[in-house]
Amino acid sequence: MNIEPTVETKDNEIIKPFQLSNLFHLFFQPKKFFSQSTVYHHRSIIFAAYLIGIVAVMDRVDQKLLNAETSGIRPLIDWITESWLSYWLWVLVAGIISAAIAWLIQGWWYKKRLQFSGAKEADPQLARHVYVLQSLVFVLPIVITTAIQTFLYPNYFEAYNQSTILGFIPVPFLFLSCWVSYHGATQVFLTNGWAKFWFLGLPIFFYILIIGAFTALIS
């Protein structure tokens, strides 16, 4: 997938999102982060997109485990969750395909929301970069949390079944990513008032519905 920038940038500074100062700004001062430059370190964008793919596979595993509670454990999901080696092997390999799908589809949808918000000429590659960066706000805590669980539980199945504070850490970052997404969209692109609906109101409403439905299923 092509991640080379294709538009004029604010300056020639290359932003490395994984530098601690930039990471802090992205999470907690997104307006400052996105006002620096629209040139992002290529390998960092690729790695962030890969993390999105990994988390998408993790979410899929959780869905299969939830379904298995009523229909019984299936051989594949049983193999994935019986050891951390098999779990990480699965998510790291399948994450490559998942990342490519997210880059194409979710990146396209991010550009469409920009267009719905008045940025008719939004560059598709730059839109994908901003999408990847705002997604990093909620996928990075999930990956870190799962990595910590690797040292606390014998396998992922045990980690999944244990209701601890660790499982709830990523939730606020999910909503924080909406705030970051809004600032990314409005700072990098010329948007109108509809940006508040497409990048704040609608995503927050969607996440509340998803969390509510998930809570109802497990209770």
Side-chain angles (χ1 to χ4, degrees):
M1 56 187 177
N2 178 24
I3 52 98
E4 295 289 336
T6 59
V7 296
E8 294 294 325
T9 57
K10 296 178 182 178
D11 52 51
N12 293 323
E13 181 184 4
I14 298 177
I15 304 300
K16 296 182 177 180
F18 289 97
Q19 285 184 345
L20 288 181
S21 59
N22 285 330
L23 205 59
F24 176 84
H25 292 151
L26 175 64
F27 274 65
F28 305 110
Q29 296 179 320
K31 188 173 182 179
K32 181 176 182 179
F33 176 87
F34 287 108
S35 67
Q36 298 176 93
S37 172
T38 54
V39 183
Y40 305 108
H41 187 249
H42 299 157
R43 291 182 181 177
S44 297
I45 292 293
I46 292 175
F47 183 64
Y50 180 48
L51 292 181
I52 295 172
I54 288 174
V55 169
V57 176
M58 289 177 172
D59 180 63
R60 187 62 177 167
V61 171
D62 287 350
Q63 292 180 37
K64 291 294 185 182
L65 281 173
L66 187 61
N67 292 335
E69 291 180 0
T70 56
S71 60
I73 295 293
R74 305 292 177 84
L76 179 59
I77 198 66
D78 186 35
W79 174 80
I80 293 172
T81 59
E82 69 179 358
S83 73
W84 283 111
L85 177 61
S86 57
Y87 177 80
W88 282 111
L89 181 63
W90 179 262
V91 299
L92 291 176
V93 174
I96 299 173
I97 299 175
S98 182
I101 294 173
W103 177 268
L104 294 173
I105 297 178
Q106 297 299 326
W108 169 84
W109 175 236
Y110 198 87
K111 186 196 73 171
K112 295 302 294 184
R113 285 190 287 156
L114 286 168
Q115 292 176 335
F116 295 152
S117 302
K120 301 298 183 182
E121 303 300 323
D123 179 80
Q125 294 298 82
L126 184 57
R128 286 186 168 92
H129 289 188
V130 177
Y131 154 71
V132 165
L133 290 168
Q134 65 90 25
S135 298
L136 185 63
V137 173
F138 73 87
V139 301
L140 186 58
I142 293 174
V143 173
I144 292 175
T145 299
T146 309
I148 294 173
Q149 289 176 322
T150 304
F151 297 96
L152 298 178
Y153 301 99
N155 53 52
Y156 184 74
F157 186 74
E158 288 297 323
Y160 174 83
N161 284 316
Q162 296 296 325
S163 298
T164 66
I165 189 76
L166 284 175
F168 296 96
I169 288 177
V171 174
F173 290 98
L174 191 63
F175 293 99
L176 179 63
S177 71
C178 298
W179 182 56
V180 174
S181 179
Y182 171 73
H183 281 291
T186 55
Q187 193 68 33
V188 177
F189 303 93
L190 296 175
T191 58
N192 56 32
W194 278 101
K196 289 183 179 179
F197 171 77
W198 287 107
F199 294 97
L200 277 177
L202 186 62
I204 289 174
F205 177 71
F206 175 77
Y207 290 142
I208 291 174
L209 284 181
I210 293 298
I211 292 173
F214 180 77
T215 302
L217 284 173
I218 64 176
S219 62

